[in-house]
Amino acid sequence: MSRLVEFRGGVSLTSMKICIVGLGYVGLPLAIQFARCGANVVGLDIDASKVVAINRGESYIKHIAAETIAENLRANKLLASTDFSCIRQADAVIICVPTPLNKNREPDISYILDTGRRIAPHLSKGTLVVLESTTYPGTTDEDLRRVIEENSGLKAGVDFYLAFSPEREDPGNPNSVVATIPKVVGGFTRACLEKAVALYSIAIKQIVPVSSCRVAEATKLLENVFRSVNIALVNELKVIYGAMGIDVWEVINAAKTKPFGFMAFYPGPGLGGHCIPIDPFYLSWKAREYGRNTRFIELAGEINTAMPEYVIRCVADALNQHAKAVKGSRILVVGLAYKPDVDDERESPSYVLMTLLRERGADVEYYDPYVPIIKPTREHSQWAGKESVRWNEAVIASFDLILIATNHSVIDYQELADWAPFIIDTRNAMADTRVAPGQVWKA
Ligand SMILES: NC(=O)c1ccc[n+]([C@@H]2O[C@H](COP(=O)([O-])OP(=O)(O)OC[C@H]3O[C@@H](n4cnc5c(N)ncnc54)[C@H](O)[C@@H]3O)[C@@H](O)[C@H]2O)c1
């Protein structure tokens, strides 16, 4: 008998029911992976439009094919719902809801707590609850545990199992497959850990058990702080080497030939996405409770958030060389998504660049094949409704300056070189193109 069949006192895999709460960039791929492996998955979301889309076999995430959703629906392995009462029959509930910062840049775990309150009344004895949202150490065994216990009358580690397992999704990376990314798991008790390891073993090849929920939470933060600090380092070197006339991209490409002790990180116009600009500050906030400062995190944040201003200075200098001012110039920002080959523009530095340029009087447009129109958001409401320009010679040649903010691989950069009078490249996207002398500046 396999350990899968033993899950929750003899529930076989084909009858195993998993509820995944939050059907976003993390929850949806996870739901599909469990469904593919034979579990019966119900995806729960408060956003009814996502629920309707999934039940129609439609995808709202670029790198997830509608057909993948449809085939799991047809196999009766996947279903979406807004009705939390289906948690009553669940063997496991996995929470993948947002963990943003509030307007004072402090952790906002209200989505986690709200989810805890919603699931608690429907929780049965013996159910496993796993949190996947990135957060500070203590969220699972203090905050989430408290709201579930208060609203269910059940006790963690006694009546229900509780664990934390951070998500390691890398959208847009074709080599990043949920099943093959090792999964760190920490439990509230030893039994909780064992349940969580058994659950993830259904769908993921390698499980990495750790001694507690807090260690698992801290592991995810280490991974993201590591990225933030290393990106800050290469961003700082970009500015220093740039002043010396040395191309930091050439330096990094040479350095990464070292077979040990070096890992390449690349500079950019500023941090973007739902993780790296946000998660490290979850740790900073929690560290203050212990009277500790997180100097690396603060410094990295300072350097990375200064990057858009640096890029704008480069834009102004470049226009100046052409006897133009930022004010009145037509500037096209290429790439609105925060990283290549995704349609996710949350926290994208492109918004900051566009806003800074507009504040200086530029006439700003953007091109992004994956973001045809800017949806309304709280943070960038002034850009809502703006549409991507079309990609053709007449349009591209009509701009005074092109600013490459994101290097989507579907963009034809040689066409850009052939059509655009002048390009500022923050991503080394023009490296392999034929360009006129002085036509491309790196920033
Ligand atoms: N996107 C990534 O690449 C990535 C990678 C690793 C970790 N994470 C972490 O995973 C978590 C989720 O991120 P995401 O990118 O999937 O977010 P997302 O915004 O794409 O999806 C979250 C979903 O949760 C839903 N939701 C919010 N509150 C809810 C509630 N109370 N009940 C049910 N559904 C609710 C939202 O409607 C949304 O569909 C975050 O903590 C994030 O930091 C994200």
Side-chain angles (χ1 to χ4, degrees):
M1 191 193 269
S2 84
R3 65 180 179 282
L4 311 181
V5 180
E6 289 163 348
F7 189 83
R8 200 179 167 207
V11 177
S12 78
L13 180 53
T14 46
S15 62
M16 173 147 187
K17 194 159 174 186
I18 302 172
C19 286
I20 297 197
V21 186
L23 296 170
Y25 284 85
V26 167
L28 183 55
L30 191 67
I32 290 170
Q33 178 57 18
F34 273 112
R36 268 188 189 139
C37 293
N40 299 305
V41 179
V42 178
L44 290 168
D45 207 295
I46 49 171
D47 181 345
S49 69
K50 287 187 175 156
V51 167
V52 169
I54 289 176
N55 288 337
R56 280 195 193 135
E58 293 166 5
S59 178
Y60 42 82
I61 296 179
K62 185 184 87 60
H63 60 277
I64 296 175
E67 182 47 31
T68 310
I69 297 173
E71 73 196 20
N72 286 294
L73 284 172
R74 281 197 297 274
N76 287 323
K77 288 290 159 197
L78 178 66
L79 185 76
S81 177
T82 53
D83 179 5
F84 281 65
S85 70
C86 59
I87 282 172
R88 273 203 190 101
Q89 289 89 45
D91 301 293
V93 181
I94 303 178
I95 303 171
C96 310
V97 296
T99 42
L101 295 173
N102 67 18
K103 63 178 179 353
N104 298 323
R105 297 197 65 73
E106 290 165 346
D108 173 6
I109 62 162
S110 62
Y111 296 87
I112 295 176
L113 300 182
D114 179 53
T115 303
R117 282 185 207 102
R118 283 170 191 266
I119 65 173
H122 309 293
L123 215 55
S124 312
K125 281 199 169 191
T127 304
L128 166 66
V129 178
V130 190
L131 179 63
E132 288 220 3
S133 306
T134 308
T135 185
Y136 53 78
T139 309
T140 309
D141 65 18
E142 269 176 30
D143 306 285
L144 179 61
R145 179 165 73 95
R146 192 188 66 244
V147 290
I148 296 179
E149 288 183 347
E150 282 173 4
N151 292 280
S152 68
L154 301 175
K155 279 216 102 32
V158 178
D159 302 313
F160 70 98
Y161 300 98
L162 183 64
F164 181 83
S165 179
E167 179 51 51
R168 283 171 162 168
E169 172 78 355
D170 185 12
N173 176 355
N175 300 321
S176 167
V177 179
V178 177
T180 57
I181 303 171
K183 196 99 175 83
V184 172
V185 179
F188 179 56
T189 62
R190 182 82 215 165
C192 295
L193 174 65
E194 282 167 12
K195 286 287 174 194
V197 168
L199 169 73
Y200 285 109
S201 300
I202 294 169
I204 287 156
K205 285 204 171 75
Q206 190 190 340
I207 311 297
V208 185
V210 294
S211 62
S212 65
C213 298
R214 287 170 188 237
V215 169
E217 290 161 333
T219 303
K220 175 68 185 180
L221 290 178
L222 167 61
E223 291 166 10
N224 285 355
V225 169
F226 178 78
R227 273 190 70 71
S228 169
V229 167
N230 278 288
I231 291 169
L233 174 65
V234 286
N235 274 335
E236 185 168 72
L237 290 179
K238 167 179 81 170
V239 176
I240 296 167
Y241 286 163
M244 296 174 178
I246 297 166
D247 179 353
V248 73
W249 294 89
E250 191 181 349
V251 172
I252 295 167
N253 286 335
K256 77 179 186 192
T257 60
K258 185 180 180 188
F260 47 87
F262 184 80
M263 181 184 279
F265 286 84
Y266 299 98
L271 288 185
H274 199 40
C275 297
I276 309 302
I278 293 171
D279 301 343
F281 296 99
Y282 268 65
L283 184 57
S284 301
W285 180 84
K286 192 68 180 174
R288 285 200 288 276
E289 191 182 309
Y290 292 80
R292 295 287 188 270
N293 294 323
T294 48
R295 287 177 292 166
F296 266 110
I297 293 174
E298 302 299 337
L299 180 60
E302 207 178 290
I303 292 171
N304 289 328
T305 51
M307 278 304 116
E309 289 281 0
Y310 169 76
V311 171
I312 298 304
R313 278 199 301 280
C314 293
V315 167
D317 289 351
L319 285 168
N320 195 41
Q321 283 235 337
H322 288 68
K324 290 182 180 174
V326 175
K327 187 169 183 165
S329 285
R330 274 175 53 71
I331 299 177
L332 179 69
V333 172
V334 170
L336 190 70
Y338 78 91
K339 70 178 209 171
D341 305 334
V342 301
D343 56 356
D344 186 353
E345 30 66 65
R346 292 176 293 179
E347 303 283 326
S348 174
S350 300
Y351 282 123
V352 183
L353 296 171
M354 286 162 59
T355 302
L356 290 173
L357 289 168
R358 188 184 259 181
E359 282 169 4
R360 285 159 179 73
D363 177 5
V364 185
E365 300 288 342
Y366 82 95
Y367 171 72
D368 194 312
Y370 301 129
V371 189
I373 183 164
I374 298 178
K375 289 184 233 122
T377 57
R378 207 164 7 114
E379 303 82 27
H380 309 292
S381 54
Q382 75 274 32
W383 295 105
K386 191 160 191 67
E387 290 179 27
S388 167
V389 300
R390 280 202 293 266
W391 185 262
N392 61 51
E393 182 167 6
V395 169
I396 300 300
S398 73
F399 288 93
D400 297 295
L401 183 141
I402 309 291
L403 172 57
I404 301 176
T406 306
N407 49 332
H408 289 309
S409 52
V410 292
I411 294 176
D412 187 332
Y413 293 100
Q414 189 56 55
E415 278 184 349
L416 194 60
D418 294 343
W419 298 341
F422 196 51
I423 300 164
I424 299 270
D425 184 2
T426 69
R427 298 287 191 180
N428 206 28
M430 303 301 290
D432 299 324
T433 57
R434 294 176 309 280
V435 295
Q439 188 191 1
V440 176
W441 280 31
K442 291 187 183 178

